[in-house]
């Protein structure tokens, strides 16, 4: 029995020594294709006149292709969107902190993504602007449109995602659009009590630090809340070789996904603690339209460590009246 144990140990040592002598194995990733992807769905207000759809490369290692790529597409609309057509396709090239907008050639069925002369490769993303073709000052009431990529032609190792179709619909919930919340000191303290626990930047502010204006922008499935600060900064932007410098108010921003239906609205987002830990939060509220204003009454806010009753980050009743921007 003792001899068997000695033999076992010797064999293990031998195999281990052989393993150390083997050359390091390198993972070969050259066979993995680059993958183009399209936004899968989107929406805008009924009075929107066009919509931008992005096609971009998914996460990749190495350089982008140095030969052009041709995409075959189908665009079709229903109801008020029966006249949709592609207005233009562009991409951005940056040079010395200046963004240059460049157009892309397309036909009624194909889009040719070119090799940019400055990049030496195709661009990382393109924007397709689809015009709705509605009469001026007309709001869409029904229907939608789809843009599907049906084929890709390239000499490079590039494929298109299996999710190859974008679907558009009218964003018709009551909360949709841009709203402004005007806060006095009491309102700011209430707002800070609600959202300060998921925004360390907001938690540090006092009423004198802000202008009193908070913007809510409800887009397709996403909401952006911007608290405008009294402090300003100089911002310089360069587009197509033209430089503009202006003073703008600093912003503290809170972003989340939202779902609004039948007078109830739920926000889901994430935030970083001062220690750098990322946590998820959920805020529950009721909403109603009163004389054209949107009244949102928050009742509870929890994060992944505070889901139990009595352990919420916020629990109570915090109503805010938002005015259409």
């Amino acid at each position: 029995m003792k001899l068997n144990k000695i033999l076992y140990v010797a064999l293990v040592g031998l195999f281990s020594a052989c393993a150390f002598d083997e050359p390091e194995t390198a993972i070969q990733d050259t066979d993995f294709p680059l993958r183009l992807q399209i936004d899968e769905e989107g929406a805008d207000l009924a009075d929107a006149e066009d919509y931008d759809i992005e096609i971009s490369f998914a996460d990749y290692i190495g350089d982008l292709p140095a030969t052009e790529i041709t995409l075959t597409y189908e665009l079709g609309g229903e109801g008020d969107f029966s006249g949709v057509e592609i207005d233009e396709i562009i991409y951005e090239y940056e040079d010395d902190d200046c963004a240059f907008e460049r157009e892309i050639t397309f036909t009624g069925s194909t889009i040719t993504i070119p090799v940019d002369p400055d990049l030496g490769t195709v661009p990382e993303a393109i924007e397709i602007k689809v015009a709705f073709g509605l009469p001026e000052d007309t709001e869409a009431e029904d229907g939608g449109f789809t843009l599907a990529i049906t084929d890709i032609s390239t000499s490079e190792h590039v494929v298109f995602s299996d999710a190859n179709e974008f679907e558009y619909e009218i964003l018709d919930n009551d909360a949709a659009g841009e709203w402004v919340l005007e806060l006095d000191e009491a309102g700011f303290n209430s707002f800070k009590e609600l959202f300060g626990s998921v925004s360390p930047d907001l938690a540090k502010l006092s009423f004198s630090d802000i202008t009193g204006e908070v913007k809510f922008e409800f887009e397709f499935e996403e909401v952006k809340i911007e608290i405008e600060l009294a402090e300003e900064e100089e911002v310089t932007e360069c587009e197509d070789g033209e430089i503009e410098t202006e003073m703008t108010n600093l912003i503290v921003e809170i972003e989340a996904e939202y779902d609004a239906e039948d007078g109830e609205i739920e926000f889901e987002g994430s935030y970083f603690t001062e220690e750098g830990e990322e946590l998820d939060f959920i805020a529950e509220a009721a909403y109603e339209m009163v004389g054209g204003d949107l009244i949102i009454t928050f009742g509870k806010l929890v994060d992944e460590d505070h889901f139990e009753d009595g352990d919420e980050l916020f629990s109570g009743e915090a109503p805010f009246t938002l005015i259409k921007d």
Side-chain angles (χ1 to χ4, degrees):
M1 187 71 175
K2 185 175 181 180
L3 180 61
N4 289 339
K5 288 184 177 179
I6 294 173
L7 180 60
Y8 171 76
V9 171
L11 288 172
V12 170
L14 177 62
F15 290 143
S16 298
C18 292
F20 283 124
D21 290 337
E22 289 180 358
E24 185 176 341
T25 302
I27 298 175
Q28 299 295 323
D29 59 7
T30 55
D31 290 334
F32 288 96
L34 294 170
R35 181 168 59 89
L36 281 167
Q37 60 188 4
I38 189 172
D39 295 339
E40 292 186 42
E41 55 184 353
D44 206 342
L45 300 175
D47 60 357
E49 298 177 352
D50 51 47
Y51 193 85
D52 291 344
I53 304 168
E54 182 179 82
I55 292 179
S56 62
F57 282 95
D59 295 338
Y60 60 91
I61 300 174
D63 295 327
L64 291 173
T67 57
E68 68 180 29
I69 299 171
T70 299
L71 303 177
T72 303
Y73 72 89
E74 293 179 356
L75 175 65
E78 297 180 351
D80 290 331
F81 298 90
S82 59
V84 293
E85 59 182 15
I86 294 180
D87 183 37
E88 65 176 351
I89 305 176
I90 57 117
Y91 68 93
E92 280 195 351
Y93 161 72
E94 292 190 5
D95 182 31
D96 292 334
D97 297 324
C98 192
F100 294 87
E101 192 174 276
R102 294 176 174 173
E103 293 190 16
I104 284 179
T105 302
F106 65 95
T107 69
S109 60
T110 62
I111 299 167
T112 301
I113 305 176
V115 176
D116 182 88
D118 296 298
L119 293 173
T121 68
V122 296
E124 185 175 4
I126 65 174
E127 292 283 343
I128 303 172
K129 184 182 291 293
V130 178
F132 298 158
L134 296 172
E136 190 175 351
D137 299 327
T138 300
E139 291 191 358
E141 295 181 357
D142 65 350
F145 75 86
T146 60
L147 174 66
I149 304 301
T150 59
D151 193 26
I152 180 172
S153 176
T154 174
S155 60
E156 303 276 359
H157 199 19
V158 180
V159 299
F160 207 91
S161 172
D162 291 338
N164 66 327
E165 183 173 284
F166 169 85
E167 295 186 6
Y168 177 90
E169 63 184 29
I170 301 171
L171 186 57
D172 60 357
N173 69 71
D174 290 334
E178 298 180 3
W179 304 83
V180 174
L181 170 63
E182 297 287 351
L183 293 176
D184 57 14
E185 187 165 6
F188 171 73
N189 290 334
S190 179
F191 186 85
K192 180 178 174 180
E193 181 185 4
L194 171 64
F195 283 113
S197 57
V198 296
S199 174
D201 290 334
L202 172 60
K204 298 174 184 177
L205 299 177
S206 62
F207 180 64
S208 60
D209 294 323
I210 71 169
T211 64
E213 183 172 282
V214 178
K215 293 183 178 180
F216 283 69
E217 185 174 355
F218 290 91
E219 299 177 334
F220 177 65
E221 296 183 345
E222 296 181 341
V223 60
K224 182 165 58 178
I225 304 172
E226 295 183 341
I227 302 98
E228 188 177 76
L229 305 187
E231 182 182 355
E232 295 183 332
E233 66 174 348
E234 187 176 83
V235 176
T236 300
E237 293 184 348
C238 179
E239 293 186 6
D240 294 329
E242 296 185 4
I243 300 175
E244 291 186 2
T245 300
E246 61 180 353
M247 299 298 295
T248 61
N249 295 85
L250 294 175
I251 297 292
V252 170
E253 191 172 281
I254 300 171
E255 292 184 329
E257 295 182 352
Y258 78 97
D259 183 31
E261 189 174 2
D262 298 331
E264 296 184 355
I265 188 167
E266 184 176 88
F267 303 82
E268 292 189 24
S270 62
Y271 68 101
F272 286 93
T273 66
E274 291 188 329
E275 293 74 28
E277 182 183 9
E278 184 177 11
L279 297 175
D280 297 323
F281 73 86
I282 298 175
E284 298 177 355
Y287 72 92
E288 61 177 333
M289 296 294 298
V290 178
D293 296 338
L294 176 65
I295 300 177
I296 300 181
T297 303
F298 290 89
K300 183 166 65 173
L301 189 148
V302 299
D303 74 10
E304 61 183 21
D305 293 324
H306 301 83
F307 277 100
E308 298 296 330
D309 289 341
D311 199 25
E312 301 91 347
L313 296 178
F314 174 85
S315 181
E317 189 171 289
F320 299 98
T321 300
L322 280 60
I323 303 170
K324 197 73 171 180
D325 191 10

